[in-house]
Every structure is written in structure tokens, then in C-alpha cells.
Amino acid sequence: MSMETTAWTQLHSVINAEQDRRPFALATLRRIGAFARPHRRRIALFVLLGMGTALLAVATPVLAGWVVDTIVSDGDEGRVVRLALLIALIAVAEAVLGILGRRLSATLGEHLILDLRTAVFDHVQRDEATAHLDNTPGPADGTRGEAVEEAA
């Protein structure tokens, strides 16, 4: 079987596999919260930036509709210019909030990844530090009792 056939077979089996649907455990939510807790201010700021960007994205078409209504109804040039300037200002503000949001998202993600990697490293180091305490000779498959009986 070629590598390409194997890859397509694996892809097909993954796509059509029955998913192991387990309920979301409360303990998992607590662990997520423990990692997010030191970053809660950044997370809150990120959410607020996202909400502000969404609000500005909605405001632009509404203002454009007002421009059209003003042109059609009375043609007040001053109001049209003010609305156009407001639309331009909103576009600049939306771009600035978007850049700040992306930067905050990247730094927040990097900090969370660092925290997760540090936790895994500490866990592995703790396990390796205690592994030598239970270092009874025997096969790697965990059948120490049988190996001792065979040696005797």
C-alpha cells in the first residue's frame, strides 16, 4: 500500500469515526480557570476590545444608511460630510482596536502556552525525581513478580 493510500485511508477513518463524546467535566473547567486566573485582566481587556471592534463594525453600515437617507431626503451637505468624517474616524478606530486586539491575543496566547509548558515540565521533573525511589529491577512490562520467580 502506498503512503498516499495510507494517508487517504487514515483521513477517511478519522472523518467517519465515531467520536467519543464525554461530558465536559467540572474538574476540567477548574483546571482551565487555574491557568486563566493570572491573566484575567488581559482576558477581560481582550473581550472588551473584541466587543468594541464588533460595535464599530456594526456602526459603519448604520451610518452609511443615514448618509443615503440624508442625501435622498433633504440633501444637507453639511450632515453628509459630518457622517462621512465619522465613518472615516470609525474605520481608523476599528483598525487600531483590531491591531491592539491581535497583539493582546498573541501575547496572551504565548503567556498561556508558557504556563502550560512550565506546568508540564514541572510535572515531568517531579515524576522523574520520584521514579528512582521505586526502581525495582525487572522487565519494562511491569511483570516484576514473574521475573523474580523465574530467576529463583
Side-chain angles (χ1 to χ4, degrees), residues 15-142:
I15 289 172
N16 296 321
E18 288 287 324
Q19 294 285 333
D20 181 21
R21 299 287 181 186
R22 288 180 281 166
F24 196 74
L26 187 58
T28 303
L29 191 58
R30 285 191 191 114
R31 279 196 305 268
I32 292 169
F35 281 105
R37 191 168 295 117
H39 308 285
R40 62 182 172 261
R41 284 189 180 132
R42 285 185 181 164
I43 293 171
L45 182 59
F46 176 70
V47 169
L48 288 174
L49 281 172
M51 290 170 52
T53 303
L55 182 66
L56 291 176
V58 170
T60 303
V62 170
L63 291 173
W66 288 357
V67 167
V68 171
D69 289 344
T70 301
I71 292 171
V72 169
S73 65
D74 59 2
D76 182 8
E77 291 177 14
R79 182 172 179 183
V80 171
V81 169
R82 286 191 303 275
L83 288 172
L85 289 173
L86 185 58
I87 290 171
L89 181 66
I90 287 175
V92 170
E94 190 176 355
V96 169
L97 287 181
I99 290 170
L100 291 174
R102 283 190 293 274
R103 179 168 169 78
L104 185 60
S105 172
T107 57
L108 183 60
E110 290 296 326
H111 282 100
L112 285 169
I113 289 169
L114 177 64
D115 291 349
L116 288 166
R117 286 181 177 171
T118 303
V120 168
F121 181 79
D122 290 345
H123 178 75
V124 168
Q125 291 299 313
R126 222 178 6 260
D127 283 354
E128 287 180 2
T130 59
H132 72 280
L133 298 176
D134 186 32
N135 198 5
T136 309
D141 64 358

Side-chain angles (χ1 to χ4, degrees), residues 10-19:
Q10 288 296 320
L11 178 64
H12 182 271
S13 65
V14 166
I15 289 172
N16 296 321
E18 288 287 324
Q19 294 285 333

